[in-house]
Amino acid sequence: YDLDKNLITQAKALADEMDIPNTGKRPKFDVKDLFEVELDQFSVICTFLLPETMDRLVPTLLVEMMKGSRIISFGWEVPGLGDPFACCRGNT
């Protein structure tokens, strides 16, 4: 979700170019405020959010997401969920 209609249009066009089949597992791209979306319907959430926005979102993610769901954060650590690369560094 994004509030910028142009970014949503670009994302949909790129998905179409990649010929991703619309089987119900295709990523959703919509113009919406992510703080107003019910997150319990998603098993995977991919974000590219600044740390201060993630700080606001994490409490909602922890309460609303289904058990076993995944959060993928591009660029920044998800606050409160530990080091996402610990397994890669041998720091388990």
Side-chain angles (χ1 to χ4, degrees):
Y1 297 113
D2 203 299
L3 296 175
D4 186 332
K5 185 178 180 179
N6 291 328
L7 289 177
I8 298 300
T9 301
Q10 288 176 355
K12 287 179 178 179
L14 286 171
D16 289 342
E17 285 177 22
M18 294 173 67
D19 199 27
I20 298 172
N22 196 359
T23 61
K25 295 186 183 229
R26 182 178 175 155
K28 295 180 183 182
F29 307 102
D30 288 311
V31 177
K32 289 186 182 179
D33 183 338
L34 72 105
F35 292 102
E36 296 178 7
V37 174
E38 292 184 23
L39 302 173
D40 61 352
Q41 61 186 311
F42 303 106
S43 59
V44 177
I45 294 182
C46 299
T47 68
F48 190 77
L49 301 171
L50 294 172
E52 53 270 12
T53 305
M54 285 302 294
D55 285 341
R56 287 182 53 209
L57 184 61
V58 165
T60 303
L61 291 171
L62 295 176
V63 170
E64 290 189 15
M65 287 188 71
M66 297 182 285
K67 185 177 181 176
S69 296
R70 290 172 173 74
I71 303 167
I72 301 167
S73 176
F74 297 97
W76 293 276
E77 182 177 322
V78 179
L81 297 184
D83 182 355
F85 301 108
C87 62
C88 302
R89 293 187 189 116
N91 300 336
T92 57

